[in-house]
Every structure is written in structure tokens, then in C-alpha cells.
Amino acid sequence: MTGSEVTASSEASANGNPHLDIPKLAETYSTAQNRYFFLDYDGTLSPIRVKPEDATPSDELLKLLKELAEDQKNHIYIISGRDRKFLVQWVGKLRIGLSAEHGAFLRPPPSSGDKVDEWRDLISEQKMDVGWKDDVNKMFDDFVKNTPKSEVERKEYAITLHYRQSDKNDYKPHLETLKSSLSTLSDKYPTLDVRKGKKSLEARVKGVTKGVVINEILNTQGRNGIDFVMCLGDDTTDEDMFEQLAKEKSLKNVCTCNVGKKVKTVANAHTRTQDEVMDILRTLAKSNKQ
């Protein structure tokens, strides 16, 4: 069964990919023996919040992830733009793998019992230059001084400017100037990658993406025998996951699904809302009990 057959539905998005057929997905899931989940966090497992720190996982989400993770056939990874501290605090005790800062860090699921492996720093491993950080910090701080209700989120490698709460008339005059300055800085530092998100700009290390970390996971775990893949994400950074999985021709029953109204995507299915993600998890967790 191909990825498109897993997700076939009569309703298509503006991009033309079908609406996710959850019953058909559950049917494929129930017969699979070696399942992988690659899940974004913000906007996918948790609704987008005005303040990022408010997007903590619900009790139901934690319960569903725990139930799915306890099935030995399942290998679950949350691949997020969040930092390590947040992921460890909220989902670190579950039997799931974690990737922070869009692939900069990777921690596999606990190998046995409560034993937790150390985080891998994929950027340090590749000795990548992050000399641009001081300049980006200053540019973002200047933007915040001139734009009410904007703020900077500083992680170990990535730096994110949020202007979700700002009035368009306040941020628009400064945004194009900032983008131009960042473009000039990118010419100086080839390792600087600037990504536009939902009312945000993120500066991070080029070449380290969510797609790269999926490739790293599959290289480590092995691709043989994988007969179900569920990948969910809502933002432009998640396209890197979808693109990587589209290249993985040896994997069976691959479902890549974009969440929400985003039109341009390479995912082979879509859901309309984040609530539908919870429906997917409920349905698959229920399948475990049958």
C-alpha cells in the first residue's frame, strides 16, 4: 500500500492533497509491525498560543502519547523547534525520542526501563560556525525596541523573533529592513539560515533541519521492516520532514500530513485543524486496545 492509499479521501485541500482518512489510517496501523511517528509540537500536538510558554501539553495528549509509546511496535519522536529544556520538562519521561531546535539536538527513546540516553549535539558534531549569533541578537533586540509586544526567544543555537501579538502597523515598517539586514549577514555567514514562521522569524544553523534528523534516526535505527510511518506538522519547517520521507522509497505506508490551512506543501494528506490531530491519536490509541 502506498502513502496516498493510506490517506485517500474524496476531499482535497487547496494544494490538491487529500483530507486524511483516519479510519483507513487506523486499519493500516493495526496490521503494521514496525511503526514510526515523527511529530511536530507547536500547532500540531498543541495549539498555537499567543505566548509560546503557554503551549504546554494537555493531560489528554500526555495520556495518549504514553499509551502509544507503551506499544513496543511503535517508535515515537517529537521533532520540534522547542529547546531541550521545554521538551524534557513536559514529555521527557515518556518512552519517546526527542529532537530540539529543528534537528540541532537528538535524544533517542529510553532503551530500557527508565534509562535515558544522552543528547547528541548534531551542530557540534559537524563543527558548524555560529559566529552570527551576536549580530542576530542585536538586530532582533533593535526590532523589539521599536515594535511593541514583540519578543525574542533565545535557544542554544536558534534565535526566534516573535511578533504575533504586535499590531501590523507597528511591525511592518521594520520587518523588511530587518529581513534585508539578515540577508546581508547571511552572505557573510553561509551557515546562517533565516526561516519565516507564523508571525515569527527564526535564525538557525543552515543544513540542520527536521528532515536531516529524520535521516539520522533512520540511519541509526535501520530502515528494513518499517511498515508504517505517520508524520504530522503544520509549519514551513515541517516541509523538510515531508520532503525527506518522500525520498525514502523503501519505507511502506508513509503518511505525511500537514495540519491546518497551509496551501504549499509536499505532504500527501492534510487535516483541517489541530483538533483532528487529537482525533488521530485517540483512534490509534484505541486500536492498541482492540
Side-chain angles (χ1 to χ4, degrees), residues 4-237:
S4 60
E5 290 172 325
V6 170
T7 59
S9 169
S10 59
E11 179 193 339
S13 71
N15 188 61
N17 64 347
H19 184 259
L20 182 65
D21 188 328
I22 298 177
K24 179 167 272 191
L25 181 77
E27 181 182 344
T28 306
Y29 170 90
S30 66
T31 59
Q33 301 300 306
N34 190 15
R35 314 175 186 121
Y36 275 74
F37 292 77
F38 302 114
L39 308 173
D40 172 49
Y41 182 77
D42 289 285
T44 301
L45 294 178
S46 177
I48 293 288
R49 303 294 187 192
V50 173
K51 294 183 177 181
E53 61 268 25
D54 292 338
T56 55
S58 66
D59 290 342
E60 184 187 17
L61 174 62
L62 293 173
K63 178 175 177 290
L64 291 171
L65 289 173
K66 183 175 185 293
E67 290 176 3
L68 289 167
E70 286 174 348
D71 187 328
Q72 296 299 312
K73 298 176 184 177
N74 292 340
H75 310 270
I76 301 174
Y77 290 83
I78 293 179
I79 302 178
S80 172
R82 292 286 185 155
D83 60 24
R84 294 191 283 181
K85 181 180 178 182
F86 179 92
L87 294 178
V88 169
Q89 178 180 358
W90 292 106
V91 293
K93 294 182 179 180
L94 301 177
R95 196 186 74 85
I96 62 178
L98 303 174
S99 177
E101 297 193 31
H102 301 295
F105 299 98
L106 174 62
R107 194 184 84 176
S111 51
S112 61
D114 294 327
K115 182 181 178 182
V116 176
D117 291 336
E118 295 294 321
W119 286 90
R120 288 179 59 194
D121 182 336
L122 302 184
I123 291 175
S124 288
E125 286 180 15
Q126 298 177 56
K127 296 180 170 54
M128 303 186 80
D129 180 15
V130 291
W132 44 263
K133 287 179 65 177
D134 288 344
D135 288 324
V136 170
N137 273 314
K138 185 178 184 308
M139 289 178 188
F140 283 4
D141 285 342
D142 288 343
F143 182 95
V144 168
K145 288 177 185 176
N146 293 301
T147 309
K149 298 183 179 179
S150 63
E151 59 182 344
V152 179
E153 178 186 5
R154 293 179 173 89
K155 308 167 192 175
E156 291 175 79
Y157 287 117
I159 310 167
T160 307
L161 173 67
H162 297 281
Y163 50 94
R164 191 173 298 136
Q165 300 181 74
S166 303
D167 186 275
K168 187 175 183 179
N169 292 327
D170 289 330
Y171 71 73
K172 191 173 181 180
H174 309 293
L175 194 58
E176 292 307 314
T177 300
L178 175 60
K179 288 179 180 178
S180 176
S181 298
L182 289 169
S183 177
T184 301
L185 189 63
S186 296
D187 293 336
K188 180 180 177 182
Y189 292 101
T191 58
L192 171 60
D193 185 23
V194 179
R195 294 287 185 103
K196 187 178 185 306
K198 294 180 177 179
K199 296 290 183 70
S200 68
L201 283 177
E202 180 165 86
R204 61 183 193 177
V205 179
K206 183 175 289 185
V208 178
T209 69
K210 291 185 175 186
V212 169
V213 86
I214 284 181
N215 185 56
E216 186 67 27
I217 290 166
L218 294 175
N219 284 343
T220 302
Q221 300 297 320
R223 292 164 169 80
N224 291 340
I226 296 177
D227 54 0
F228 179 91
V229 177
M230 174 86 252
C231 181
L232 294 163
D234 75 304
D235 209 345
T236 53
T237 58

